[in-house]
Amino acid sequence: MTRNITSSKISETLKQALEERIVTGAYPPGARLDETEIANEFSVSRTPVREALIHLASSRLVVNRPRRGAVVAEASPQRLYEMFEVMAELESVSVRLAARRHNDTDLERIGEAHAACEEALESGDLEMYYQANERFHLAIYTASHNGFLYEETSNMQCRLAVYRRLQLRSQGRLKDSCNEHQGILDAIVAGDGENAASLAYAHVIVQGETFSDLIASLTAMRHY
C-alpha cells in the first residue's frame, strides 16, 4: 500500500512538472518525451514516468505517435481560448441548474469547499487553493443533479486543469477567484440562476481572455 501511494505521488509530481514545461514552451509542440531521459533527469524509475505520460495523454497535452512514442500536442492560443469558451458555457449551465436544484447537502459541500479556498488564500498556499477550488466546482456540478452534464463538465475541467492551475499564479488572481466564488455561492443560495450563471461564465472566461499574458509571464519565470 505504501509503495503504491509513493508511486502515485511521484507520478503526480512528474505530471505537474511536465505539464508546466509543455504550457510554458520548454517542451514545444512536436517534441518527443523520452521515458528514459525523463526518468534519468528526475531520478525515478520509468514506471511513474509512464503513468504521468498516460495522464498527459488523457488531457490531450501529449499524443502517442507510431515509432516516436509520446510527443507534445499542438495547442494554439486560439484553440485554448475556444476550449475556455466551452468550459465557461458548461459552468454557467451547471451553476444555473444548481441554483434551482440544490439541496442542503449540496450547499454544505459547496460552502465547505469555499471556506477551504478562503483558508488557502489567507495562508497563501497555492496548491491548497487549487485543490479546494477543484472541490468547489465539482460540488456545483454535483448540485446540478444532471449526471451527463457532470461528466462532460468534469472532462473539460480535466483537459484545462493545467491552465487553470497555472493561471492562479497571476498576481491577485487568488483573491479575485475567491471573491468570484463568494458571488456565485450567494447567487446559488438565493436561487438566482441567471445571476449565478452570469457570474460563473465570467469567472471562467477571464482565464481564457488573459491566457496570452499568463503564458508570457510563465515563460519569463522559466528563464529566472
Side-chain angles (χ1 to χ4, degrees):
M1 179 65 73
T2 301
R3 180 179 298 177
N4 289 337
I5 293 175
T6 301
S7 177
S8 177
K9 288 183 176 179
I10 293 173
S11 176
E12 177 63 22
T13 299
L14 278 171
K15 179 177 76 70
Q16 291 183 22
L18 297 177
E19 282 177 338
E20 182 163 341
R21 290 185 181 188
I22 290 171
V23 171
T24 60
Y27 291 152
R32 179 171 177 268
L33 302 182
D34 184 87
E35 289 183 12
T36 301
E37 291 180 0
I38 295 173
N40 290 338
E41 178 182 354
F42 287 90
S43 300
V44 298
S45 70
R46 292 178 62 180
T47 298
V49 175
R50 191 173 298 114
E51 292 172 352
L53 292 177
I54 289 173
H55 284 298
L56 292 176
S58 69
S59 59
R60 304 187 187 182
L61 286 174
V62 305
V63 293
N64 291 308
R65 300 294 190 196
R67 295 183 296 279
R68 292 195 66 197
V71 300
V72 178
E74 297 282 346
S76 68
Q78 176 62 31
R79 175 69 170 179
L80 290 168
Y81 180 74
E82 290 170 355
M83 291 169 66
F84 272 108
E85 278 191 316
V86 173
M87 185 76 232
E89 294 288 355
L90 290 172
E91 289 269 357
S92 64
V93 173
S94 297
V95 170
R96 183 182 293 110
L97 291 179
R100 288 167 39 194
R101 299 177 176 178
H102 68 264
N103 55 39
D104 290 343
T105 299
D106 294 325
L107 287 184
E108 182 178 357
R109 290 173 178 167
I110 298 170
E112 287 176 349
H114 178 54
C117 285
E118 291 180 319
E119 181 181 348
L121 173 62
E122 183 68 24
S123 64
D125 190 327
L126 180 62
E127 183 59 25
M128 178 182 173
Y129 188 92
Y130 175 77
Q131 297 297 332
N133 175 68
E134 188 174 55
R135 293 201 307 274
F136 179 82
H137 286 275
L138 288 175
I140 289 175
Y141 307 160
T142 299
S144 75
H145 293 280
N146 183 311
F148 180 76
L149 179 61
Y150 178 94
E151 293 172 5
E152 294 302 305
T153 310
S154 298
N155 287 338
M156 183 59 77
Q157 184 193 55
C158 180
R159 289 189 63 182
L160 289 173
V162 59
Y163 305 105
R164 298 183 76 166
R165 178 193 296 272
L166 294 178
Q167 63 88 27
L168 291 173
R169 295 184 182 182
S170 300
Q171 186 174 9
R173 183 56 196 156
L174 280 188
K175 183 176 181 179
D176 289 345
S177 174
C178 198
N179 289 338
E180 290 161 12
H181 284 179
Q182 184 66 63
I184 292 169
L185 176 56
D186 289 344
I188 291 175
V189 171
D192 189 345
E194 292 309 312
N195 185 37
S198 177
L199 292 171
Y201 184 91
H203 175 63
V204 175
I205 199 63
V206 69
Q207 300 167 36
E209 291 175 341
T210 61
F211 183 75
S212 295
D213 290 341
L214 169 65
I215 293 301
S217 65
L218 290 172
T219 301
M221 287 171 57
R222 183 165 53 84
H223 293 296
Y224 287 119

